[in-house]
Amino acid sequence: MITAQRSNSRRALTLLELLLAVAITVLTGLAIAAVTTSIARGLTSMNESRSALQRAYAAHARLRAYTTGALAFISVDPDRGIAIWHNDDRYNNRVNLSELRIFWLEPSSDGTPGKELVIEMAAFPEEWEEDELELADAELAGVDDPFNEMLALRAQGWTSRSVIADGLESISVSHSAINLVHANRIRISLKVQIGADNTEDILMAFGLPNHKVPG
Amino acid sequence: MPRSSLRHPARPRAFTLLEALTAVTILGVVVLAVTAAITASQKVAFEGQKRILAAMSADDLMSELLTLTYDDLRARDATIQPVGSMVTLDGEQYPEVFWALGRTISVENVILHEESLDISVSGVLVRIVVTDGSATLAEAEVFVPEPIA
């Protein structure tokens, strides 16, 4: 009969036991939350770094595609971008508007944070005859600002543009000669955005084996 | 009343040591598996990042080397930039993100023979190897013909 009595008398938790159980549950919960948060933060950071590096790699490949055969870097403006002499298709040893490429650093067009690198070049109407082309495809004089010249072309609707990289903060250029136009080795430093607050510096070196100083 | 009911009344039974150990082991294995998976994915991601940077720096150096004269190019043979000390040809230090990489340049005299045309071209084979100190991450190779005197 004693056994039967014991089976019905289920003792409740004491206050101390209850508090201990609650404390252990809270501590365990906090530990799990901390670990989960830290893992999530690590993974986010890793993804952002990888994304930044992929953007930098894309920018690198596209900049190289435009600069490998280029003849000279002719102007750099930290606030606007880079102007290069891409080719001498008119064989006059001078920079014509159609031989100019501008890499603009502009605020992002889709509202995402950071800036984007946009390439712009002359694109005259296809139906033009050669004499019309020659007239419009003017030579840049030494005093001309290539950026303003491209803006003037754009105002007429005679340019084409495409984005080659986004998520950038700034761009700077250093080179191997006293004057940019005489340099056959150029370094471009990109500050690539990682997430909202951080940036990563990426250095890119470009050689211009076909380098030529415009006349 | 059956005898067994009296001897074994229905009361809550505690976990046995074996059950507790099994539960702890299962939990441990799960935690270890998750940790190992995260570590492995981070390692793969880091490896991928290193390879991207290695490919970029190999292309960069080759592009710079091709601006040199033939004799200057040959003089660059056996140039070693140790891991963490990469610089451009003009001496600019690469930023921190390239810390795990180093480069070597080799310039080897070679004669290429084109059998179909029966001509031989002498020149140098420029080879760049980017490593992280233990493994090769990227390579670039270009043949530069000797200029005609």
Side-chain angles (χ1 to χ4, degrees), chain A residues 16-191:
Chain A
L16 187 64
E17 287 170 337
L18 184 65
L19 286 177
L20 200 60
V22 168
I24 290 171
T25 307
V26 166
L27 284 177
T28 310
L30 282 177
I32 290 171
V35 170
T36 314
T37 308
S38 137
I39 289 171
R41 197 172 294 157
L43 289 176
T44 306
S45 158
M46 204 167 68
N47 284 340
E48 286 173 347
S49 293
R50 198 168 46 215
S51 159
L53 204 56
Q54 283 168 346
R55 276 182 276 125
Y57 186 59
H60 180 264
R62 290 162 188 171
L63 280 169
R64 182 167 303 290
Y66 284 105
T67 56
T68 295
L71 304 178
F73 278 56
I74 53 176
S75 184
V76 171
D77 182 332
D79 296 324
R80 294 194 288 181
I82 300 168
I84 64 169
W85 184 21
H86 184 258
N87 54 63
D88 192 16
D89 284 351
R90 291 201 173 270
Y91 303 105
N92 56 5
N93 207 30
R94 290 175 174 275
V95 184
N96 290 83
L97 291 175
S98 62
E99 299 161 0
L100 186 63
R101 303 287 183 273
I102 305 279
F103 297 101
W104 299 100
L105 191 64
E106 298 178 341
S108 176
S109 54
D110 59 3
T112 51
K115 296 176 181 171
E116 56 191 21
L117 197 59
V118 178
I119 184 161
E120 185 164 23
M121 63 190 86
F124 297 114
E126 286 179 9
E127 64 273 14
W128 277 11
E129 300 292 333
E130 185 56 33
D131 53 345
E132 285 177 291
L133 277 174
E134 274 192 30
L135 199 63
D137 193 10
E139 290 174 3
L140 278 185
V143 291
D144 292 340
D145 178 348
F147 300 100
N148 288 339
E149 294 297 319
M150 190 59 75
L151 287 175
L153 276 185
R154 189 196 300 174
Q156 310 241 37
W158 297 338
T159 65
S160 72
R161 292 158 53 86
S162 52
V163 177
I164 62 170
D166 61 0
L168 307 177
E169 189 173 284
S170 65
I171 189 167
S172 61
V173 171
S174 56
H175 48 83
S176 59
I178 296 170
N179 295 321
L180 175 70
V181 81
H182 288 97
N184 64 354
R185 289 190 298 275
I186 311 283
R187 272 92 58 197
I188 296 180
S189 291
L190 287 182
K191 263 194 192 310

Side-chain angles (χ1 to χ4, degrees), chain A residues 64 67-68 70 184-186 205-210, chain B residues 60 63-64 67:
Chain A
R64 182 167 303 290
T67 56
T68 295
N184 64 354
R185 289 190 298 275
I186 311 283
F206 299 97
L208 305 178
N210 303 326
Chain B
D60 283 2
S63 160
E64 288 191 301
T67 64

Side-chain angles (χ1 to χ4, degrees), chain B residues 3 22 45 47 76 78 85 87 101 112 114 121 127 134 136:
Chain B
R3 188 181 171 87
T22 308
E47 189 69 23
R76 299 282 172 164
S85 305
V87 290
L101 305 177
L112 292 185
E114 180 53 54
V121 182
R127 189 159 184 259
S134 58
T136 297

